[in-house]
Amino acid sequence: MRQEIIGGGTAGLTVAERLSEDPTISVAVIEAGGFYELDNGNLSQIPAFYAKNFNQTAAPETIQPLIDWAYTIEPQVGLANRRFHYSQGKTLGGSSGRNSNIFTRWAWDSILPYFKRSIDFTPPDMAKMGVDANISYDPAAYGAGGPLHVAYSNYYQPMNPGLIKGFEALNLSYQPGFSSGRMDGYGYLAVTINPETQIKDSSETAFLSGAFNATNFRVYKNTIAQKILFEGTTATGVQVETAGLSYTLEATKEVIVAAGVTRSPQMLMVSGIGPKKILSQHNIPVIVDRPVGQNWQDHCAFEFQYKMNVEGNAALEGDKQYIYQATEDFLRTQTGPLTNWGGDILAPTEKPSTKAPSTN
């Protein structure tokens, strides 16, 4: 039996690794990008360079086209009619190979065993972090022996004590991390990082490396999935293109669509699964009339910048001596600001009510 997985990102590679454990199944991953270690190097591997991957302006020089789909949104009235880059990973590892490396878990106790199975947790190294570090965590929220490294940066941000004082002044309660299902108060963040090298972990470094040991596993990198092929309503394969060559990958068991929040609905729609009205406008034969590609919602991120009288990652942008010392620390002892994506502490809050005040 042969399974085709469209998308070699966060979900796709995780599913592929699990399926490859069954020797009776042949698993193939179709990924439009390649290896981010080769295509984006330090910008994808070193935690502190996360911000360089996340610049949201629409200027071409801020987009890494080898690892990103380079989407730009239409002019938005609420943003002064500006256009912005909407980052979406196009690489083995998907957006886990270009985003920050925060590891959190929301509620749903039923999925906790799967989270624990997937990770290999390492407690924080307080000695390498520095004298101010005092991080607690819930050991029951983590597992051991899984493919994905979850640990802590070997650098304690100098701004942390000030943040903690502020959160305490707001009467926020301290939480031992955010992997137990609770998302309130404030606490320290675990990250997906190799505890020995302090290089970011992703679905590519964790799950793909394990799947490569299986003889029933194959990756088609730098390959575009064009559409899913059907016989009636049964998926039988995927039409793909590699370097201008189009061909078909047959699926005798199933086709799994794991191409991300934008490409997954797009793939379904070009294949004939979607709103009949929209598909007909593009002369796409309708296989199943479903409201695919509708009601997409995403959260917004706002960044506020303040001057501080303590060191911060901003010094990595222009202070040559600071950059030199940070590089030495990273290479020699796997410590220093390059090991940290830019923050240690999270304080989730509920959205303020938009309801009008009662007049009663």
Side-chain angles (χ1 to χ4, degrees), residues 31-66:
E31 170 53 45
F35 289 94
Y36 62 78
E37 294 92 335
L38 300 177
D39 294 334
N40 209 41
N42 288 343
L43 294 181
S44 282
Q45 294 180 278
I46 296 178
F49 292 153
Y50 145 74
K52 294 181 182 293
N53 283 329
F54 210 67
N55 192 313
Q56 296 297 291
T57 69
E61 63 269 17
T62 69
I63 301 172
Q64 293 83 21
L66 294 181

PDB file of all heavy atoms in Angstrom, residues 31-66:
ATOM      1  N   GLU A  31       7.200  17.747  -1.188  1.00  0.00           N
ATOM      2  CA  GLU A  31       7.490  19.048  -0.577  1.00  0.00           C
ATOM      3  C   GLU A  31       8.035  20.021  -1.623  1.00  0.00           C
ATOM      4  O   GLU A  31       8.970  19.693  -2.362  1.00  0.00           O
ATOM      5  CB  GLU A  31       8.497  18.889   0.564  1.00  0.00           C
ATOM      6  CG  GLU A  31       9.056  20.181   1.122  1.00  0.00           C
ATOM      7  CD  GLU A  31       7.979  21.173   1.541  1.00  0.00           C
ATOM      8  OE1 GLU A  31       6.994  20.754   2.199  1.00  0.00           O
ATOM      9  OE2 GLU A  31       8.114  22.358   1.198  1.00  0.00           O
ATOM     10  N   ALA A  32       7.450  21.216  -1.661  1.00  0.00           N
ATOM     11  CA  ALA A  32       7.839  22.215  -2.658  1.00  0.00           C
ATOM     12  C   ALA A  32       9.223  22.791  -2.396  1.00  0.00           C
ATOM     13  O   ALA A  32       9.874  23.276  -3.320  1.00  0.00           O
ATOM     14  CB  ALA A  32       6.810  23.345  -2.686  1.00  0.00           C
ATOM     15  N   GLY A  33       9.675  22.757  -1.146  1.00  0.00           N
ATOM     16  CA  GLY A  33      10.989  23.308  -0.809  1.00  0.00           C
ATOM     17  C   GLY A  33      12.028  22.227  -0.637  1.00  0.00           C
ATOM     18  O   GLY A  33      11.813  21.052  -0.961  1.00  0.00           O
ATOM     19  N   GLY A  34      13.182  22.637  -0.107  1.00  0.00           N
ATOM     20  CA  GLY A  34      14.275  21.704   0.118  1.00  0.00           C
ATOM     21  C   GLY A  34      14.676  21.685   1.583  1.00  0.00           C
ATOM     22  O   GLY A  34      13.835  21.810   2.467  1.00  0.00           O
ATOM     23  N   PHE A  35      15.968  21.562   1.840  1.00  0.00           N
ATOM     24  CA  PHE A  35      16.488  21.555   3.206  1.00  0.00           C
ATOM     25  C   PHE A  35      16.865  22.979   3.601  1.00  0.00           C
ATOM     26  O   PHE A  35      17.721  23.605   2.970  1.00  0.00           O
ATOM     27  CB  PHE A  35      17.706  20.644   3.308  1.00  0.00           C
ATOM     28  CG  PHE A  35      17.373  19.180   3.198  1.00  0.00           C
ATOM     29  CD1 PHE A  35      17.431  18.531   1.976  1.00  0.00           C
ATOM     30  CD2 PHE A  35      16.991  18.459   4.327  1.00  0.00           C
ATOM     31  CE1 PHE A  35      17.115  17.184   1.871  1.00  0.00           C
ATOM     32  CE2 PHE A  35      16.680  17.106   4.231  1.00  0.00           C
ATOM     33  CZ  PHE A  35      16.733  16.467   3.007  1.00  0.00           C
ATOM     34  N   TYR A  36      16.244  23.502   4.670  1.00  0.00           N
ATOM     35  CA  TYR A  36      16.503  24.886   5.056  1.00  0.00           C
ATOM     36  C   TYR A  36      17.930  25.090   5.547  1.00  0.00           C
ATOM     37  O   TYR A  36      18.459  26.203   5.494  1.00  0.00           O
ATOM     38  CB  TYR A  36      15.493  25.359   6.105  1.00  0.00           C
ATOM     39  CG  TYR A  36      15.512  24.615   7.423  1.00  0.00           C
ATOM     40  CD1 TYR A  36      16.486  24.853   8.392  1.00  0.00           C
ATOM     41  CD2 TYR A  36      14.519  23.689   7.723  1.00  0.00           C
ATOM     42  CE1 TYR A  36      16.481  24.183   9.600  1.00  0.00           C
ATOM     43  CE2 TYR A  36      14.495  23.021   8.930  1.00  0.00           C
ATOM     44  CZ  TYR A  36      15.490  23.263   9.870  1.00  0.00           C
ATOM     45  OH  TYR A  36      15.475  22.599  11.079  1.00  0.00           O
ATOM     46  N   GLU A  37      18.586  24.012   6.009  1.00  0.00           N
ATOM     47  CA  GLU A  37      19.977  24.142   6.414  1.00  0.00           C
ATOM     48  C   GLU A  37      20.851  24.590   5.242  1.00  0.00           C
ATOM     49  O   GLU A  37      21.839  25.320   5.429  1.00  0.00           O
ATOM     50  CB  GLU A  37      20.510  22.815   6.965  1.00  0.00           C
ATOM     51  CG  GLU A  37      19.855  22.359   8.251  1.00  0.00           C
ATOM     52  CD  GLU A  37      18.670  21.440   8.008  1.00  0.00           C
ATOM     53  OE1 GLU A  37      18.068  21.513   6.919  1.00  0.00           O
ATOM     54  OE2 GLU A  37      18.341  20.643   8.891  1.00  0.00           O
ATOM     55  N   LEU A  38      20.487  24.151   4.032  1.00  0.00           N
ATOM     56  CA  LEU A  38      21.233  24.537   2.834  1.00  0.00           C
ATOM     57  C   LEU A  38      20.704  25.833   2.237  1.00  0.00           C
ATOM     58  O   LEU A  38      21.471  26.655   1.745  1.00  0.00           O
ATOM     59  CB  LEU A  38      21.141  23.417   1.786  1.00  0.00           C
ATOM     60  CG  LEU A  38      21.694  22.045   2.203  1.00  0.00           C
ATOM     61  CD1 LEU A  38      21.458  21.031   1.093  1.00  0.00           C
ATOM     62  CD2 LEU A  38      23.181  22.139   2.521  1.00  0.00           C
ATOM     63  N   ASP A  39      19.385  26.025   2.281  1.00  0.00           N
ATOM     64  CA  ASP A  39      18.765  27.164   1.602  1.00  0.00           C
ATOM     65  C   ASP A  39      18.732  28.440   2.437  1.00  0.00           C
ATOM     66  O   ASP A  39      18.606  29.532   1.882  1.00  0.00           O
ATOM     67  CB  ASP A  39      17.334  26.800   1.198  1.00  0.00           C
ATOM     68  CG  ASP A  39      17.295  25.695   0.151  1.00  0.00           C
ATOM     69  OD1 ASP A  39      18.281  25.555  -0.591  1.00  0.00           O
ATOM     70  OD2 ASP A  39      16.276  24.978   0.086  1.00  0.00           O
ATOM     71  N   ASN A  40      18.801  28.300   3.761  1.00  0.00           N
ATOM     72  CA  ASN A  40      18.686  29.487   4.618  1.00  0.00           C
ATOM     73  C   ASN A  40      19.697  29.499   5.754  1.00  0.00           C
ATOM     74  O   ASN A  40      19.801  30.486   6.488  1.00  0.00           O
ATOM     75  CB  ASN A  40      17.268  29.583   5.199  1.00  0.00           C
ATOM     76  CG  ASN A  40      16.838  30.997   5.486  1.00  0.00           C
ATOM     77  OD1 ASN A  40      17.106  31.915   4.710  1.00  0.00           O
ATOM     78  ND2 ASN A  40      16.176  31.202   6.610  1.00  0.00           N
ATOM     79  N   GLY A  41      20.432  28.425   5.928  1.00  0.00           N
ATOM     80  CA  GLY A  41      21.546  28.360   6.855  1.00  0.00           C
ATOM     81  C   GLY A  41      21.258  28.856   8.261  1.00  0.00           C
ATOM     82  O   GLY A  41      20.265  28.481   8.892  1.00  0.00           O
ATOM     83  N   ASN A  42      22.150  29.723   8.749  1.00  0.00           N
ATOM     84  CA  ASN A  42      22.062  30.214  10.122  1.00  0.00           C
ATOM     85  C   ASN A  42      20.743  30.907  10.428  1.00  0.00           C
ATOM     86  O   ASN A  42      20.275  30.895  11.568  1.00  0.00           O
ATOM     87  CB  ASN A  42      23.206  31.190  10.406  1.00  0.00           C
ATOM     88  CG  ASN A  42      24.538  30.482  10.512  1.00  0.00           C
ATOM     89  OD1 ASN A  42      24.599  29.267  10.679  1.00  0.00           O
ATOM     90  ND2 ASN A  42      25.624  31.238  10.407  1.00  0.00           N
ATOM     91  N   LEU A  43      20.128  31.526   9.428  1.00  0.00           N
ATOM     92  CA  LEU A  43      18.888  32.259   9.678  1.00  0.00           C
ATOM     93  C   LEU A  43      17.768  31.330  10.135  1.00  0.00           C
ATOM     94  O   LEU A  43      16.838  31.762  10.827  1.00  0.00           O
ATOM     95  CB  LEU A  43      18.454  33.015   8.417  1.00  0.00           C
ATOM     96  CG  LEU A  43      19.365  34.146   7.958  1.00  0.00           C
ATOM     97  CD1 LEU A  43      18.788  34.821   6.724  1.00  0.00           C
ATOM     98  CD2 LEU A  43      19.580  35.166   9.069  1.00  0.00           C
ATOM     99  N   SER A  44      17.837  30.071   9.764  1.00  0.00           N
ATOM    100  CA  SER A  44      16.833  29.109  10.194  1.00  0.00           C
ATOM    101  C   SER A  44      17.282  28.274  11.382  1.00  0.00           C
ATOM    102  O   SER A  44      16.453  27.725  12.104  1.00  0.00           O
ATOM    103  CB  SER A  44      16.473  28.152   9.045  1.00  0.00           C
ATOM    104  OG  SER A  44      15.596  28.750   8.124  1.00  0.00           O
ATOM    105  N   GLN A  45      18.583  28.171  11.609  1.00  0.00           N
ATOM    106  CA  GLN A  45      19.083  27.256  12.625  1.00  0.00           C
ATOM    107  C   GLN A  45      19.398  27.919  13.960  1.00  0.00           C
ATOM    108  O   GLN A  45      19.251  27.295  15.009  1.00  0.00           O
ATOM    109  CB  GLN A  45      20.345  26.546  12.106  1.00  0.00           C
ATOM    110  CG  GLN A  45      20.074  25.615  10.926  1.00  0.00           C
ATOM    111  CD  GLN A  45      21.331  24.934  10.450  1.00  0.00           C
ATOM    112  OE1 GLN A  45      22.113  25.499   9.695  1.00  0.00           O
ATOM    113  NE2 GLN A  45      21.556  23.715  10.919  1.00  0.00           N
ATOM    114  N   ILE A  46      19.855  29.148  13.939  1.00  0.00           N
ATOM    115  CA  ILE A  46      20.237  29.828  15.177  1.00  0.00           C
ATOM    116  C   ILE A  46      19.031  30.577  15.738  1.00  0.00           C
ATOM    117  O   ILE A  46      18.442  31.419  15.044  1.00  0.00           O
ATOM    118  CB  ILE A  46      21.412  30.788  14.928  1.00  0.00           C
ATOM    119  CG1 ILE A  46      22.647  29.980  14.501  1.00  0.00           C
ATOM    120  CG2 ILE A  46      21.722  31.620  16.167  1.00  0.00           C
ATOM    121  CD1 ILE A  46      23.863  30.809  14.191  1.00  0.00           C
ATOM    122  N   PRO A  47      18.634  30.295  16.965  1.00  0.00           N
ATOM    123  CA  PRO A  47      17.391  30.867  17.513  1.00  0.00           C
ATOM    124  C   PRO A  47      17.294  32.384  17.435  1.00  0.00           C
ATOM    125  O   PRO A  47      16.226  32.921  17.124  1.00  0.00           O
ATOM    126  CB  PRO A  47      17.418  30.382  18.970  1.00  0.00           C
ATOM    127  CG  PRO A  47      18.178  29.095  18.923  1.00  0.00           C
ATOM    128  CD  PRO A  47      19.243  29.317  17.891  1.00  0.00           C
ATOM    129  N   ALA A  48      18.377  33.096  17.699  1.00  0.00           N
ATOM    130  CA  ALA A  48      18.317  34.559  17.759  1.00  0.00           C
ATOM    131  C   ALA A  48      18.004  35.200  16.419  1.00  0.00           C
ATOM    132  O   ALA A  48      17.590  36.357  16.364  1.00  0.00           O
ATOM    133  CB  ALA A  48      19.631  35.128  18.302  1.00  0.00           C
ATOM    134  N   PHE A  49      18.175  34.473  15.326  1.00  0.00           N
ATOM    135  CA  PHE A  49      17.921  35.039  14.001  1.00  0.00           C
ATOM    136  C   PHE A  49      16.475  34.873  13.569  1.00  0.00           C
ATOM    137  O   PHE A  49      16.124  35.157  12.424  1.00  0.00           O
ATOM    138  CB  PHE A  49      18.843  34.405  12.966  1.00  0.00           C
ATOM    139  CG  PHE A  49      20.298  34.770  13.146  1.00  0.00           C
ATOM    140  CD1 PHE A  49      21.299  33.918  12.718  1.00  0.00           C
ATOM    141  CD2 PHE A  49      20.652  35.959  13.753  1.00  0.00           C
ATOM    142  CE1 PHE A  49      22.635  34.250  12.884  1.00  0.00           C
ATOM    143  CE2 PHE A  49      21.981  36.305  13.928  1.00  0.00           C
ATOM    144  CZ  PHE A  49      22.978  35.450  13.495  1.00  0.00           C
ATOM    145  N   TYR A  50      15.631  34.420  14.489  1.00  0.00           N
ATOM    146  CA  TYR A  50      14.206  34.246  14.181  1.00  0.00           C
ATOM    147  C   TYR A  50      13.603  35.529  13.623  1.00  0.00           C
ATOM    148  O   TYR A  50      12.830  35.502  12.650  1.00  0.00           O
ATOM    149  CB  TYR A  50      13.466  33.814  15.452  1.00  0.00           C
ATOM    150  CG  TYR A  50      12.067  34.347  15.583  1.00  0.00           C
ATOM    151  CD1 TYR A  50      11.027  33.843  14.822  1.00  0.00           C
ATOM    152  CD2 TYR A  50      11.780  35.378  16.486  1.00  0.00           C
ATOM    153  CE1 TYR A  50       9.738  34.330  14.948  1.00  0.00           C
ATOM    154  CE2 TYR A  50      10.501  35.868  16.621  1.00  0.00           C
ATOM    155  CZ  TYR A  50       9.486  35.355  15.847  1.00  0.00           C
ATOM    156  OH  TYR A  50       8.219  35.848  15.972  1.00  0.00           O
ATOM    157  N   ALA A  51      13.943  36.677  14.214  1.00  0.00           N
ATOM    158  CA  ALA A  51      13.325  37.938  13.796  1.00  0.00           C
ATOM    159  C   ALA A  51      13.638  38.264  12.339  1.00  0.00           C
ATOM    160  O   ALA A  51      12.827  38.888  11.653  1.00  0.00           O
ATOM    161  CB  ALA A  51      13.795  39.074  14.697  1.00  0.00           C
ATOM    162  N   LYS A  52      14.789  37.825  11.855  1.00  0.00           N
ATOM    163  CA  LYS A  52      15.143  38.092  10.454  1.00  0.00           C
ATOM    164  C   LYS A  52      14.240  37.294   9.511  1.00  0.00           C
ATOM    165  O   LYS A  52      14.014  37.703   8.376  1.00  0.00           O
ATOM    166  CB  LYS A  52      16.611  37.738  10.216  1.00  0.00           C
ATOM    167  CG  LYS A  52      17.599  38.619  10.977  1.00  0.00           C
ATOM    168  CD  LYS A  52      19.030  38.221  10.658  1.00  0.00           C
ATOM    169  CE  LYS A  52      20.024  39.060  11.437  1.00  0.00           C
ATOM    170  NZ  LYS A  52      19.995  40.480  10.998  1.00  0.00           N
ATOM    171  N   ASN A  53      13.727  36.166   9.970  1.00  0.00           N
ATOM    172  CA  ASN A  53      12.806  35.369   9.155  1.00  0.00           C
ATOM    173  C   ASN A  53      11.383  35.877   9.249  1.00  0.00           C
ATOM    174  O   ASN A  53      10.528  35.480   8.461  1.00  0.00           O
ATOM    175  CB  ASN A  53      12.819  33.904   9.616  1.00  0.00           C
ATOM    176  CG  ASN A  53      14.043  33.155   9.146  1.00  0.00           C
ATOM    177  OD1 ASN A  53      14.584  33.446   8.092  1.00  0.00           O
ATOM    178  ND2 ASN A  53      14.495  32.205   9.939  1.00  0.00           N
ATOM    179  N   PHE A  54      11.118  36.743  10.228  1.00  0.00           N
ATOM    180  CA  PHE A  54       9.743  37.107  10.504  1.00  0.00           C
ATOM    181  C   PHE A  54       9.432  38.551  10.163  1.00  0.00           C
ATOM    182  O   PHE A  54       8.421  39.088  10.569  1.00  0.00           O
ATOM    183  CB  PHE A  54       9.435  36.857  11.987  1.00  0.00           C
ATOM    184  CG  PHE A  54       8.003  36.516  12.244  1.00  0.00           C
ATOM    185  CD1 PHE A  54       7.476  35.323  11.779  1.00  0.00           C
ATOM    186  CD2 PHE A  54       7.174  37.372  12.935  1.00  0.00           C
ATOM    187  CE1 PHE A  54       6.155  34.998  12.004  1.00  0.00           C
ATOM    188  CE2 PHE A  54       5.840  37.050  13.169  1.00  0.00           C
ATOM    189  CZ  PHE A  54       5.329  35.861  12.697  1.00  0.00           C
ATOM    190  N   ASN A  55      10.303  39.202   9.413  1.00  0.00           N
ATOM    191  CA  ASN A  55      10.026  40.571   8.995  1.00  0.00           C
ATOM    192  C   ASN A  55       8.817  40.558   8.070  1.00  0.00           C
ATOM    193  O   ASN A  55       8.806  39.886   7.041  1.00  0.00           O
ATOM    194  CB  ASN A  55      11.249  41.146   8.276  1.00  0.00           C
ATOM    195  CG  ASN A  55      11.148  42.634   8.064  1.00  0.00           C
ATOM    196  OD1 ASN A  55      10.129  43.137   7.616  1.00  0.00           O
ATOM    197  ND2 ASN A  55      12.209  43.356   8.389  1.00  0.00           N
ATOM    198  N   GLN A  56       7.785  41.311   8.415  1.00  0.00           N
ATOM    199  CA  GLN A  56       6.517  41.203   7.706  1.00  0.00           C
ATOM    200  C   GLN A  56       6.292  42.279   6.638  1.00  0.00           C
ATOM    201  O   GLN A  56       5.193  42.397   6.111  1.00  0.00           O
ATOM    202  CB  GLN A  56       5.362  41.242   8.708  1.00  0.00           C
ATOM    203  CG  GLN A  56       5.371  40.058   9.656  1.00  0.00           C
ATOM    204  CD  GLN A  56       5.187  38.736   8.921  1.00  0.00           C
ATOM    205  OE1 GLN A  56       4.125  38.440   8.394  1.00  0.00           O
ATOM    206  NE2 GLN A  56       6.230  37.942   8.879  1.00  0.00           N
ATOM    207  N   THR A  57       7.298  43.098   6.348  1.00  0.00           N
ATOM    208  CA  THR A  57       7.109  44.058   5.274  1.00  0.00           C
ATOM    209  C   THR A  57       7.055  43.314   3.947  1.00  0.00           C
ATOM    210  O   THR A  57       7.476  42.169   3.842  1.00  0.00           O
ATOM    211  CB  THR A  57       8.253  45.081   5.222  1.00  0.00           C
ATOM    212  OG1 THR A  57       9.456  44.433   4.796  1.00  0.00           O
ATOM    213  CG2 THR A  57       8.483  45.724   6.584  1.00  0.00           C
ATOM    214  N   ALA A  58       6.521  43.968   2.938  1.00  0.00           N
ATOM    215  CA  ALA A  58       6.382  43.321   1.629  1.00  0.00           C
ATOM    216  C   ALA A  58       7.604  43.539   0.745  1.00  0.00           C
ATOM    217  O   ALA A  58       7.604  43.143  -0.418  1.00  0.00           O
ATOM    218  CB  ALA A  58       5.134  43.847   0.926  1.00  0.00           C
ATOM    219  N   ALA A  59       8.647  44.162   1.292  1.00  0.00           N
ATOM    220  CA  ALA A  59       9.847  44.408   0.498  1.00  0.00           C
ATOM    221  C   ALA A  59      10.505  43.083   0.122  1.00  0.00           C
ATOM    222  O   ALA A  59      10.675  42.208   0.978  1.00  0.00           O
ATOM    223  CB  ALA A  59      10.821  45.274   1.288  1.00  0.00           C
ATOM    224  N   PRO A  60      10.865  42.894  -1.146  1.00  0.00           N
ATOM    225  CA  PRO A  60      11.436  41.611  -1.583  1.00  0.00           C
ATOM    226  C   PRO A  60      12.661  41.187  -0.793  1.00  0.00           C
ATOM    227  O   PRO A  60      12.871  39.992  -0.582  1.00  0.00           O
ATOM    228  CB  PRO A  60      11.778  41.873  -3.058  1.00  0.00           C
ATOM    229  CG  PRO A  60      10.879  42.977  -3.473  1.00  0.00           C
ATOM    230  CD  PRO A  60      10.714  43.842  -2.263  1.00  0.00           C
ATOM    231  N   GLU A  61      13.474  42.145  -0.336  1.00  0.00           N
ATOM    232  CA  GLU A  61      14.711  41.776   0.345  1.00  0.00           C
ATOM    233  C   GLU A  61      14.465  41.188   1.736  1.00  0.00           C
ATOM    234  O   GLU A  61      15.385  40.657   2.356  1.00  0.00           O
ATOM    235  CB  GLU A  61      15.646  42.990   0.448  1.00  0.00           C
ATOM    236  CG  GLU A  61      15.113  44.145   1.280  1.00  0.00           C
ATOM    237  CD  GLU A  61      14.329  45.147   0.444  1.00  0.00           C
ATOM    238  OE1 GLU A  61      13.923  44.796  -0.677  1.00  0.00           O
ATOM    239  OE2 GLU A  61      14.149  46.273   0.922  1.00  0.00           O
ATOM    240  N   THR A  62      13.239  41.283   2.261  1.00  0.00           N
ATOM    241  CA  THR A  62      12.957  40.728   3.586  1.00  0.00           C
ATOM    242  C   THR A  62      12.372  39.327   3.515  1.00  0.00           C
ATOM    243  O   THR A  62      12.077  38.728   4.545  1.00  0.00           O
ATOM    244  CB  THR A  62      11.962  41.634   4.351  1.00  0.00           C
ATOM    245  OG1 THR A  62      10.684  41.555   3.720  1.00  0.00           O
ATOM    246  CG2 THR A  62      12.438  43.071   4.384  1.00  0.00           C
ATOM    247  N   ILE A  63      12.198  38.776   2.320  1.00  0.00           N
ATOM    248  CA  ILE A  63      11.578  37.465   2.148  1.00  0.00           C
ATOM    249  C   ILE A  63      12.631  36.462   1.676  1.00  0.00           C
ATOM    250  O   ILE A  63      13.392  36.742   0.749  1.00  0.00           O
ATOM    251  CB  ILE A  63      10.420  37.540   1.132  1.00  0.00           C
ATOM    252  CG1 ILE A  63       9.360  38.537   1.605  1.00  0.00           C
ATOM    253  CG2 ILE A  63       9.805  36.161   0.914  1.00  0.00           C
ATOM    254  CD1 ILE A  63       8.273  38.817   0.595  1.00  0.00           C
ATOM    255  N   GLN A  64      12.676  35.305   2.331  1.00  0.00           N
ATOM    256  CA  GLN A  64      13.597  34.245   1.911  1.00  0.00           C
ATOM    257  C   GLN A  64      12.851  33.314   0.942  1.00  0.00           C
ATOM    258  O   GLN A  64      12.168  32.383   1.377  1.00  0.00           O
ATOM    259  CB  GLN A  64      14.096  33.451   3.124  1.00  0.00           C
ATOM    260  CG  GLN A  64      14.986  34.228   4.064  1.00  0.00           C
ATOM    261  CD  GLN A  64      14.200  35.069   5.059  1.00  0.00           C
ATOM    262  OE1 GLN A  64      13.049  34.820   5.333  1.00  0.00           O
ATOM    263  NE2 GLN A  64      14.855  36.076   5.603  1.00  0.00           N
ATOM    264  N   PRO A  65      12.955  33.536  -0.354  1.00  0.00           N
ATOM    265  CA  PRO A  65      12.121  32.792  -1.316  1.00  0.00           C
ATOM    266  C   PRO A  65      12.417  31.307  -1.389  1.00  0.00           C
ATOM    267  O   PRO A  65      11.569  30.541  -1.861  1.00  0.00           O
ATOM    268  CB  PRO A  65      12.428  33.482  -2.652  1.00  0.00           C
ATOM    269  CG  PRO A  65      13.783  34.077  -2.466  1.00  0.00           C
ATOM    270  CD  PRO A  65      13.851  34.494  -1.026  1.00  0.00           C
ATOM    271  N   LEU A  66      13.588  30.870  -0.933  1.00  0.00           N
ATOM    272  CA  LEU A  66      13.903  29.446  -0.983  1.00  0.00           C
ATOM    273  C   LEU A  66      13.187  28.659   0.116  1.00  0.00           C
ATOM    274  O   LEU A  66      13.064  27.435   0.025  1.00  0.00           O
ATOM    275  CB  LEU A  66      15.412  29.222  -0.882  1.00  0.00           C
ATOM    276  CG  LEU A  66      16.245  29.741  -2.056  1.00  0.00           C
ATOM    277  CD1 LEU A  66      17.718  29.424  -1.833  1.00  0.00           C
ATOM    278  CD2 LEU A  66      15.782  29.131  -3.370  1.00  0.00           C
TER     279      LEU A  66
END
